Amino acid sequence: TLMEAAGQIRHQPSIAKRGPEDTAAILYTSGTTGRSKGAVLSHRSLVSNAEVLRKYWRITADDILIHALPIYHVHGLFVALNCIMFAGGSMLFRGKFDPGRTICDMAGSTMLMGVPTYYTRMLENADLGKTAATNMRLFISGSAPLLAQTHQQWRDITGHAILERYGMTETGMNTSNPYEGERRPGTVGFPLPGIEVRVCDPETGGVLQPGVVGGVEVRGPNLFSGYWRMPEKTEEEHRPDGYFITGDLGQFDKDGYLSIVGRSKDLIITGGLNVYPKEIESILDDIAGVYESAVIGLAHRDFGEGVAAVVVPVPGHEITAEMLQRSVSDKLANFKQPKRYFIVDTLPRNAMGKVQKKALRDRYKTAFKD
């Protein structure tokens, strides 16, 4: 038996000494475009991030976390597991997310970490309400953008404000809405203690003022050590002063809250003018009968790229391109208004709930050639 075999081991294996800069894990980025890269994470980066989050989110040994996230991703593998273990707390370790079971689990738990899809699916369950969430202390969302309407619906039904944060494979968590204070929908909050975040002009590297969209850059002990066997890529994505170029586009508001408006690769340049998909998606998502949307740029003979919108209606509602165009015509400049609308049942997503815009661009790549 296994126990007998263990008893026959005469010499205990030696324990290798590990230092802060030694490699703890290599996690591969989701690879939504191009080749996946192996982000080398050190013990320093993992420990520093877990300690900061434990304090910032007030996690203690009394907490019980509902863990229904996949553990092949930094969210479930490190953010959830490390935070609760560093605090000496407990968790319900579920093999997968089930809306009904998660709602039942709330009665004996205090925390939930999830992706936006978890919250939208639970909102469809009649068992969700203030009573079900009575014992809960904190609901956290990340890995994909949380719609402002989801934030408001959750607060209305449960009495809790979801805390949205921002991170990535290479950095762990960078920012978070406050534990105490306003958790502002549509934002990912403030830089975490000890972590520096700036918004810069992608071309010049100059730091931009609040209200101006630019590239989000991060520096701190949470940063990864580099990409596995890709030194050129590591150097390419770091500034000389140590800031990591995340590839995300964002802006700070006057109060210091950071908003992520998209990925730099998703920026649309039409007729020489920049269009940020998030701005258009927010307006489309507020239209009655629209569940969610994704705005993409497609090859256009006259403009270089033309703006197109892929829209999912609320079940039972019928929407048309004409109705959508009327709704945005007085809210967006002409060059920002979608030139084509596609009505679909669902948007393609990866395992963590991120919309796969590359798949949409591939699907509709000839739209303006037809």
Side-chain angles (χ1 to χ4, degrees), residues 76 94 99 168 189 234 248 293-294 296 314 324 335 356:
R94 299 304 190 189
M168 55 197 309
T234 301
D248 289 319
S293 63
I296 54 177
V314 173
L324 295 171
F335 74 93
Q356 302 293 77

Side-chain angles (χ1 to χ4, degrees), residues 321-340:
E322 293 74 17
M323 180 267 281
L324 295 171
Q325 186 57 35
R326 284 196 303 271
S327 298
V328 305
S329 61
D330 62 344
K331 298 181 180 69
L332 291 168
N334 286 337
F335 74 93
K336 295 180 181 180
Q337 294 178 22
K339 293 176 171 57
R340 287 290 302 271

Side-chain angles (χ1 to χ4, degrees), residues 24-104:
I26 302 176
L27 295 189
Y28 279 78
T29 58
S30 55
T32 53
T33 61
R35 178 186 170 194
S36 291
K37 305 181 292 289
V40 179
L41 301 173
S42 66
H43 291 275
R44 174 255 311 154
S45 64
L46 296 181
V47 170
S48 69
N49 215 221
E51 286 285 25
V52 165
L53 294 174
R54 178 183 64 82
K55 295 174 184 176
Y56 201 78
W57 292 339
R58 312 290 200 274
I59 305 174
T60 73
D62 294 327
D63 276 306
I64 302 172
L65 173 71
I66 303 171
H67 191 315
L69 291 160
I71 55 171
Y72 51 75
H73 185 273
V74 68
H75 193 172
L77 181 60
F78 293 137
V79 182
L81 286 175
N82 285 359
C83 284
I84 200 68
M85 289 196 294
F86 268 64
S90 306
M91 67 179 176
L92 294 175
F93 199 13
R94 299 304 190 189
K96 64 178 182 178
F97 170 71
D98 178 88
R101 185 171 64 183
T102 300
I103 292 170
C104 290

